[in-house]
Each structure stands twice: as C-alpha cells, then as structure tokens.
Amino acid sequence: MWKLTRPDNKHDKLTRDNLLDLEDHHLVRIESVQEDQRQVWVLTKRGHGEAKQLLEPKGIRVSVLRKQEYDPDTGELLGTGYDDHAAAVTSTAAELHRAGIGHRLGFQTEIGHRLGNSYVQRADLVVRAPEAGVPVLLLEIDRRTEDAHDLVAKLRRYWEWGRLLPRDADKHTVDLARSRPDAIDHVDHEKRLWRRVYPPTGREGLVPVAFVFADTTEAKVANTVAVLEEAGRRYWAPRRHQTLHRGITAKDYGQAVPVVVTTLEQLQEHGADAAVWRRLGRKSEQTLTAALDNPDGEALFRDQEARADAEEEQRRAAELEAQRPVCKRCGQKFTDQRWEETTAHRTAWNAGDVFVCGPCHADDVARKEAAAEAARLQAAAPPEPEDDPEPDRGRGWFRRRA
C-alpha cells in the first residue's frame, strides 16, 4: 500500500497513519500479519460500500468484499490463505507504479475472461499504461504454488479468449470463423471480443501476458519458464510468413500471445523499468516495452517484402532485356514500341519486316511510299505529242496548190 500510494516516500509513516485513521472509522481492518511483519489490510463492509460509491461511478472496479469468517472449532479467521499471494500482487502493482508504468487507479485485480465453455480465466492483475508504451498487460503472479503445466493451461486459455468473437458479430464473420479451425486467423482483431474489452496494444498479436514469480528460487523459475517455452510454444511463438519470396526472415506475430517473465525480487531490486523482463523465445532480458516490441515482425516483413519485390522486378526486367530482339540490318535493339508492334497480333500484320527495328522499318515504309508516289505521278502525267516524220512536205504541197 505504501509503495503503491506513496512511491516517492522513503518511509511508510504517512500511509500507516492514514490506515490507522481509516481503522478508527471502521472502514478498514488488519486481516493478517506476514512473516516479514507486513500487514495485510482489507476493507470492512462499511468501507467497501463507501469505496464502491466513490470509485465505481468513475469506472474503477472494486474487489469483492473479504468477509470475516471464523472456524467454528479453532476460532481462526478463514479465507486468509491467499494473503501471501495478494501481497505479491499488490507489491507487483506497486513496483510497476513506482517505475511509472500505470496510474495507481489504473490497476485492476481478479479480472475475469469468460471462454466459450463458460470457464472464467481470471487475471491476477491488469495494468493499462498507454503513456508508458503499455496500453494493456495481463499479469499472473505465481509463488510457485501452481504446477508449471497449470501455467501453460492459463496461457492456452488467454490464447483461446483472444480468438473469440463477440456475441453480436455479423453473420458473415461467424460463418467464416466456423468454416474451418484456423479460419479465425483471417478475422481482423478489430472484430474480435478482446477489442471490446481492451484497447489496441499497438503491436502485433493478442493481449500480452506477464508471469511474475515471487518468493521462490532461481532454479524453480528457470524450470517453470522452460516448461512454458516448450509446452506453450503454440500459443506464444510467431509463425513463418506465407510468401513466395525467398530470404524473408521476419516472423508473423499476428496470432501469438506475447509472453514476458520476471520475478518480483528483480522488480524490487532494479525497478520495473529496468532490463528485467525476458520474452519467451529470446535469450536476454530487456525493458518491458523492448520485450513486447517485435523488431522482427510486421515492420521488418514489409521492408523485406518491398526489397524482395524490387529484386524480383529487376530480375524479370533483366530476363526480358535479354530476350529483346536485335535488328538484322543495323544491329540496334528494338524499342519497347517496336517490340510490341512485331509481336502483338493486332499490329504484327502491319509491322512489315518483323526482323528490323523501328528506324529501318520507317526507311522501308518511306521507300515504298516514295516508289508509290513516283508511280502515281507517272500514271497521272499527260502523254507527250508524237513527232511529225515529214514536216516540210505538207507545206510544199500547199504552196504549189496556191
């Protein structure tokens, strides 16, 4: 509570005094004291009612009332078995808030995600911190009280929830999703149920999930993460892009759940904004935003695809250029226009000698036109008068008759 409400204070006196004041007004009570002397405070029935009136009109969900129930035989307070877990959840929220990841009223606990079979998968903690580059993050806090395969089952259920459609989805989308098991992969995320609940993540894939391990050993954490990576690969691992291009190394994260892991001890020692998060499938630890980013994802794919398209275009152009005809008369390569004239059915009949280039064909056409013009002029010219073989004889006769 101290770190969550007053992260800048070096001591918890102010928080403790406020809690004591609320206790005097019967709004809160101490439920238990941990081994390290940390106290677990909960709302009383009266405090719970006032909190609902104060927070729920602002859209802030209040957790379920922790009733005071006692064992009839021993007189011990019942329902305190989750105190250590609740303390770890609150401490995780406090460390995130202290690092600037999430507003103190932007955290929610025990948020249900109902599956198609009516099973409800509850997230221990949900944080929305768009200003920190984390629009939404679901957190599972594990004190190694659960088997590693139980965590794999949780991951599977988050993956399944991310593939559900809302009840009012249009018939075309519903029919498409039912057409085959993987058809939902082709339904845009904007049409899925999870986008009705959470904002867009700003990255490829489904809603990211973080597993935070607390109060356990490094060996147990390593073993659990190894099981998550191997048995849960179908849910977190990216796929290969379906493309005919070669040399595409980018991955398709569109249907994967981004999963990051860390420990509460690392968060407390180094801070939640430090490089203490490891993304499943990667070797080293990164900051939270870097771990959630996909540098080998969609942006790289678009770049590699554009580059491959350009290279393919160059290859085709080179192959085409190698096939370009050469004029048998002058040795020049055909222009694109002349090449098309000599090969297209609609123009080849009028292209003349298809083995000569455009200029040579123009010369041929010019010679033919000149010859035709000369023939036309010759045909149109009047005939020349015939020569008189004896021009003086007629005149002599005329003179003698006169």
Side-chain angles (χ1 to χ4, degrees):
M1 288 292 294
W2 158 42
K3 291 183 179 179
L4 184 59
T5 58
R6 291 290 182 179
D8 297 329
N9 285 21
K10 295 183 178 180
H11 303 285
D12 65 348
K13 184 177 186 305
L14 181 61
T15 302
R16 183 158 36 86
D17 290 345
N18 278 294
L19 287 171
L20 291 173
D21 183 58
L22 292 172
E23 185 182 32
D24 291 341
H25 290 81
H26 307 289
L27 299 176
V28 299
R29 62 180 175 84
I30 299 176
E31 183 169 273
S32 63
V33 179
Q34 304 302 294
E35 293 181 358
D36 59 0
Q37 300 307 307
R38 289 182 299 169
Q39 297 173 331
V40 177
W41 292 76
V42 298
L43 293 168
T44 63
K45 184 176 181 179
R46 177 180 173 183
H48 191 269
E50 290 195 13
K52 290 182 67 174
Q53 292 180 2
L54 177 65
L55 299 177
E56 290 192 348
K58 300 179 181 179
I60 301 172
R61 178 178 173 271
V62 180
S63 60
V64 178
L65 173 66
R66 297 286 292 270
K67 297 180 180 180
Q68 283 183 289
E69 297 179 352
Y70 298 88
D71 187 289
D73 298 325
T74 64
E76 293 182 357
L77 185 65
L78 299 176
T80 61
Y82 294 100
D83 287 349
D84 290 332
H85 181 262
V89 171
T90 305
S91 296
T92 301
E95 294 304 326
L96 290 169
H97 175 58
R98 187 163 68 95
I101 305 174
H103 187 269
R104 64 174 63 90
L105 296 180
F107 295 97
Q108 294 178 297
T109 59
E110 294 297 318
I111 300 300
H113 303 83
R114 186 175 297 276
L115 301 175
N117 59 3
S118 296
Y119 183 90
V120 179
Q121 175 62 54
R122 297 190 179 277
D124 292 329
L125 184 66
V126 176
V127 58
R128 304 189 192 204
E131 69 287 344
V134 187
V136 59
L137 179 65
L138 312 182
L139 293 102
E140 288 290 335
I141 316 302
D142 179 35
R143 300 181 60 254
R144 290 306 299 118
T145 57
E146 294 182 272
D147 183 77
H149 290 280
D150 292 336
L151 301 185
V152 175
K154 284 187 176 183
L155 176 57
R156 172 181 56 80
R157 289 191 285 267
Y158 283 124
W159 178 78
E160 291 175 346
W161 183 77
R163 297 166 66 83
L164 294 178
L165 294 175
R167 293 182 180 275
D168 60 350
D170 63 89
K171 184 177 184 303
H172 173 75
T173 304
V174 173
D175 291 342
L176 174 62
R178 290 175 177 174
S179 62
R180 60 182 188 274
D182 63 342
I184 189 65
D185 294 352
H186 305 286
V187 176
D188 190 82
H189 287 278
E190 293 297 321
K191 297 182 179 181
R192 301 190 192 183
L193 174 63
W194 77 265
R195 280 293 289 109
R196 300 282 187 90
V197 180
Y198 297 118
T201 64
R203 302 172 175 90
E204 305 101 293
L206 304 174
V207 183
V209 174
F211 288 94
V212 179
F213 301 98
D215 305 325
T216 185
T217 64
E218 292 184 5
K220 288 183 178 179
V221 171
N223 292 336
T224 302
V225 172
V227 173
L228 271 173
E229 280 192 312
E230 184 61 31
R233 179 173 297 276
R234 179 186 179 186
Y235 314 117
W236 63 260
R239 305 175 183 178
R240 295 182 61 182
H241 276 284
Q242 299 298 321
T243 177
L244 298 177
H245 290 306
R246 296 180 179 179
I248 299 295
T249 61
K251 301 297 193 305
D252 180 3
Y253 288 88
Q255 307 305 318
V257 177
V259 180
V260 295
V261 298
T262 189
T263 66
L264 180 56
E265 289 73 20
Q266 284 181 298
L267 297 180
Q268 292 172 335
E269 181 179 357
H270 304 289
D273 55 347
V276 295
W277 305 85
R278 184 168 82 80
R279 174 86 170 257
L280 293 191
R282 300 179 188 175
K283 298 299 182 183
S284 59
E285 294 176 329
Q286 302 171 286
T287 62
L288 180 56
T289 52
L292 294 176
D293 287 340
N294 302 312
D296 58 344
E298 184 64 23
L300 178 62
F301 174 70
R302 289 196 300 267
D303 180 65
Q304 290 182 334
E305 187 178 43
R307 201 178 316 155
D309 286 339
E311 292 173 354
E312 179 67 15
E313 187 66 24
Q314 292 175 357
R315 185 187 64 80
R316 290 178 180 176
E319 290 179 354
L320 191 64
E321 190 62 28
Q323 299 172 9
R324 186 180 295 276
V326 177
C327 180
K328 68 177 182 180
R329 190 174 303 163
C330 69
Q332 295 295 320
K333 288 187 175 182
F334 281 25
T335 63
D336 290 342
Q337 180 180 357
R338 179 58 180 167
W339 194 0
E340 183 178 0
E341 288 176 355
T342 59
T343 54
H345 294 296
R346 66 182 184 278
T347 57
W349 66 273
N350 196 32
D353 188 348
V354 297
F355 298 104
V356 298
C357 64
C360 291
H361 171 61
D363 292 342
D364 291 345
V365 172
R367 282 194 297 271
K368 288 181 180 179
E369 290 179 350
E373 180 65 16
R376 184 185 67 78
L377 291 174
Q378 184 178 3
E384 295 181 2
E386 296 182 359
D387 295 335
D388 190 351
E390 296 180 354
D392 295 332
R393 180 179 299 178
R395 287 193 292 272
W397 292 343
F398 178 75
R399 285 195 295 273
R400 286 197 292 269
R401 291 191 188 102

